[in-house]
Amino acid sequence: MMDDIAKTGVAAQELTQFVERVERLEEEKKAISDDIREVYAEMKGRGFDVRAVRQIIRIRKQDHSERKEMEAVLELYMGALNMN
């Protein structure tokens, strides 16, 4: 592979394209992250509990059966600790 890069420059060109793609995607990711932060700030400004909303978003990402299983375990543990 190193010989390819040194002799032809073709692999170097391909590598450059990959690196540039990753850099563009990282820029897009940062922009999206900034947008999400702004939405949370707006929610907070409107009186919503951002921690609760973040938890809801985590829960909504879970598979239904996975969520039910976690809820059952949580309920079991809370019962064992007399937290019900």
Side-chain angles (χ1 to χ4, degrees):
M1 180 72 176
M2 295 302 282
D3 287 341
D4 263 1
I5 294 172
K7 290 180 184 172
T8 65
V10 174
Q13 192 175 33
E14 186 177 19
L15 177 61
T16 300
Q17 291 172 348
F18 281 127
V19 169
E20 289 172 351
R21 277 176 52 197
V22 169
E23 289 171 341
R24 278 193 305 275
L25 291 169
E26 288 290 343
E27 288 173 12
E28 290 175 23
K29 183 170 75 171
K30 184 187 179 319
I32 290 170
S33 179
D34 291 344
D35 290 346
I36 291 170
R37 196 172 303 113
E38 287 177 21
V39 172
Y40 280 120
E42 186 178 345
M43 273 192 277
K44 185 176 183 177
R46 301 281 298 259
F48 291 99
D49 185 326
V50 173
R51 287 187 324 174
V53 172
R54 287 183 188 274
Q55 182 66 27
I56 289 169
I57 291 170
R58 271 192 297 277
I59 290 169
R60 287 173 53 114
K61 286 180 184 179
Q62 293 176 341
D63 177 59
H64 180 72
S65 60
E66 179 184 324
R67 184 173 69 234
K68 288 297 182 186
E69 181 181 334
M70 179 56 75
E71 288 171 355
V73 171
L74 183 60
E75 190 174 317
L76 176 69
Y77 287 3
M78 288 177 70
L81 297 170
N82 294 318
M83 296 176 64
N84 293 350

